[in-house]
Amino acid sequence: ADKGDMEAQYLVAHAYRFGEGVEKNLEKAVEYYTLTIQNRNQDVESELEETKKELEEENNKEKQHQKKQKNF
């Protein structure tokens, strides 16, 4: 969990929240839930940026194709 594994962070947060296998600690639960959300958002941001790049590449290819069609 401390190495950024989202699933592990969620499980640790859940364990602290309900005192399953560890002493109940709501502060730690909040900490680990927050880490889970932050890491998930980073993954989504990364996916979004990759998708934007792909879209831009597709748009550029389409523009080049249209430009070639006009030149014929």
Side-chain angles (χ1 to χ4, degrees):
D2 290 329
K3 294 183 180 180
D5 183 321
M6 285 186 311
E7 187 174 344
Q9 289 169 339
Y10 175 80
L11 293 173
V12 169
H14 185 84
Y16 276 122
R17 180 178 178 193
F18 295 103
E20 296 176 354
V22 294
E23 185 177 332
K24 184 175 179 175
N25 185 326
L26 294 177
E27 288 179 2
K28 288 230 181 235
V30 168
E31 177 185 335
Y32 278 98
Y33 278 133
T34 301
L35 285 172
T36 304
I37 291 168
Q38 289 172 343
N39 285 331
R40 180 67 185 144
N41 286 341
Q42 288 173 355
D43 288 345
V44 171
E45 286 177 27
S46 182
E47 289 292 323
L48 176 61
E49 290 306 313
E50 288 178 27
T51 304
K52 284 181 177 180
K53 287 178 185 177
E54 290 174 23
L55 178 60
E56 186 177 339
E57 289 171 6
E58 283 185 12
N59 287 340
N60 287 337
K61 286 179 185 177
E62 181 63 28
K63 286 177 185 177
Q64 290 174 355
H65 179 71
Q66 289 174 356
K67 199 174 191 178
K68 287 180 183 178
Q69 294 294 332
K70 287 181 182 180
N71 291 334
F72 283 116

